[in-house]
Amino acid sequence: MRGRWHNGSDKWSSINQIVKDQKLGVLALQETHLSKEDETILNSTPGLRIHVKSSIDPAHTNAKGVAIVMNKNLVNTSGVKTHDLIPGRALLVIIPWRKDDSLRILAIYAPNDPQTNQYFWDHVHSKLRGLPKPDIMLGDFNLVEDALDRLPPKQDSQGATLKLNELKTQLRLRDGWRSEHPDLLQFTFAQSAHQGGRQSRIDRIYIKDELLPFSREWTISAPGIHTDHQLISARISSKKMPFVGTGRWSLPLFILKNKKLGEDVIELGKILQQEIQSSSETRTNDANPQVAFKNFKDSAINICRSTAKKLVPMKKNKLQSQLRATTNDPTLQDEDKRIACIVLQE
């Protein structure tokens, strides 16, 4: 998150909108710099549909910090329990899920220093003793388990990687995105060109083995706020949860700016006007203003739906395809990959 503010703009307003628009139930954030006073203010701000549980290191309030953001439209926030394992670094949140079930989520912001990172995982394990084991562990781990998850490829500290693996084994957790995409290269963090342009997949979601079959739609995408990290997301369902459909369709406001769409709707309006004028002279059950207006609405909705399906997803998919093709192109040198990926992500 890199703190709350960017050019005078409050990122929490953007986060509230992202959670709402993307229908995210739970969002984990790192480097929040959020005090307990600010957390209380956020949770009582009218209009915000998010509920925040955060952890801050009182000795370093302008650094570190982790938070779990819950969508109040989708999550029961009244019975949430928290365990602040390591202030500013590790926060365990227990969320009521389905009937008597709960979802235990461990948010992580691991230290960047390799030696400190190595000791960190033992510290987390010791703090978890006597507490419910997490179903999900997610966040910024500041290390990769495989050299190919860095560009250029580079193996991280063996000691830190070993300690993380020990914790994963004890908690029976697995890298969900890698399980879904075993042969794909994609990164969640990118330095600027000035910093060297290195990239890595240091942000991950680990999930319990028994929950993995009930997860899908593992993706890495742009987050929608000013940060140098990508958003990794997944849809995770309870084994007891019934099937839920997509809901009622509504018009995405962004397509109203599309020129061709506007022209098409105007043409439909002209046809509607002609049909209304004609039906006023020879009105029948099949030719009258009410039927004409219904046909106009149905045609306009169909055009809007068709346009919405083509615009942003088309551009987004094209860029993501180019990014995947570039990162997985064996004919490109690492330096060429690095430069090309920077351009595509920006």
Side-chain angles (χ1 to χ4, degrees):
M1 187 173 175
R2 301 176 69 183
R4 179 170 186 169
W5 303 97
H6 175 64
N7 292 337
S9 177
D10 189 351
K11 293 181 182 178
W12 282 104
S13 296
S14 299
I15 289 169
N16 178 72
Q17 195 64 39
I18 291 167
V19 167
K20 177 183 175 182
D21 292 345
Q22 298 190 26
K23 297 181 180 179
L24 301 178
V26 179
L27 176 67
L29 298 172
Q30 298 78 38
E31 207 174 342
T32 52
H33 309 173
L34 187 69
S35 68
K36 285 298 180 182
E37 292 78 10
D38 287 337
E39 176 189 314
T40 301
I41 293 173
L42 274 176
N43 288 335
S44 59
T45 300
L48 292 186
R49 300 306 301 160
I50 56 176
H51 186 78
V52 182
K53 293 293 186 181
S54 66
S55 168
I56 188 71
D57 184 350
H60 304 91
T61 55
N62 290 323
K64 299 183 282 188
V66 293
I68 291 289
V69 180
M70 290 159 281
N71 186 337
K72 290 194 285 189
N73 292 335
L74 301 175
V75 176
N76 176 14
T77 61
S78 60
V80 174
K81 299 178 181 178
T82 62
H83 299 276
D84 198 351
L85 305 185
I86 303 174
R89 292 288 189 191
L91 176 67
L92 177 64
V93 177
I94 304 174
I95 303 172
W97 200 9
R98 291 287 303 173
K99 295 184 179 180
D100 297 330
D101 286 348
S102 62
L103 189 64
R104 301 174 290 275
I105 301 175
L106 176 58
I108 293 290
Y109 182 35
N112 192 44
D113 175 69
Q115 188 171 10
T116 310
N117 190 295
Q118 176 178 338
Y119 297 145
F120 174 76
W121 304 114
D122 279 338
H123 195 185
V124 171
H125 185 231
S126 66
K127 289 292 185 177
L128 282 172
R129 290 194 182 102
L131 295 176
K133 290 184 178 180
D135 301 302
I136 296 170
M137 180 172 68
L138 76 173
D140 182 350
F141 292 81
N142 267 315
L143 87 163
V144 299
E145 298 183 79
D146 192 310
L148 292 177
D149 281 327
R150 286 193 183 274
L151 183 65
K154 175 179 173 290
Q155 186 66 54
D156 279 0
S157 166
Q158 186 176 0
T161 305
L162 179 62
K163 288 298 182 182
L164 173 58
N165 278 325
E166 289 177 357
L167 178 62
K168 283 167 43 191
T169 301
Q170 291 160 352
L171 298 178
R172 297 171 58 198
L173 297 173
R174 192 186 305 184
D175 183 347
W177 187 89
R178 178 53 72 201
S179 298
E180 184 78 8
H181 308 285
D183 302 316
L184 185 62
L185 289 180
Q186 200 170 350
F187 306 106
T188 63
F189 170 75
Q191 293 178 333
S192 65
H194 178 72
Q195 294 172 318
R198 295 180 180 85
Q199 300 189 58
S200 57
R201 193 173 68 89
I202 55 176
D203 308 277
R204 298 186 292 280
I205 300 176
Y206 292 101
I207 183 171
K208 265 191 173 181
D209 289 337
E210 53 262 38
L211 273 180
L212 189 59
F214 299 92
S215 67
R216 56 192 174 95
E217 298 177 26
W218 289 87
T219 60
I220 295 174
S221 59
I225 61 171
H226 181 75
T227 177
D228 46 9
H229 290 254
Q230 299 290 296
L231 174 68
I232 176 170
S233 60
R235 184 182 298 274
I236 300 170
S237 303
S238 167
K239 291 181 283 188
K240 302 177 181 179
M241 188 174 181
F243 173 78
V244 178
T246 57
R248 182 173 59 87
W249 181 84
S250 60
L251 175 67
L253 296 180
F254 73 89
I255 68 170
L256 296 178
K257 298 180 180 179
N258 183 264
K259 184 178 179 180
K260 185 178 183 306
L261 173 65
E263 294 173 350
D264 290 342
V265 173
I266 288 174
E267 288 300 318
L268 290 175
K270 292 178 180 178
I271 295 172
L272 170 65
Q273 188 175 18
Q274 294 173 358
E275 291 179 347
I276 290 176
Q277 290 174 348
S278 299
S279 64
S280 63
E281 299 175 359
T282 56
R283 180 186 178 98
T284 67
N285 290 335
D286 297 325
N288 58 67
Q290 288 77 15
V291 172
F293 186 56
K294 180 184 183 302
N295 293 337
F296 164 78
K297 288 192 296 181
D298 291 343
S299 298
I301 288 173
N302 288 335
I303 292 176
C304 290
R305 280 178 169 167
S306 177
T307 303
K309 289 178 180 178
K310 293 176 182 177
L311 289 180
V312 172
M314 182 186 298
K315 182 66 174 176
K316 184 178 179 181
N317 291 338
K318 181 179 178 181
L319 289 174
Q320 289 179 342
S321 296
Q322 290 176 341
L323 183 61
R324 285 195 295 268
T326 301
T327 54
N328 291 276
D329 189 347
T331 65
L332 288 178
Q333 298 294 324
D334 289 340
E335 182 66 13
D336 294 333
K337 283 186 182 181
R338 180 181 65 80
I339 295 172
C341 288
I342 290 172
V343 173
L344 287 171
Q345 288 187 342
E346 289 180 351

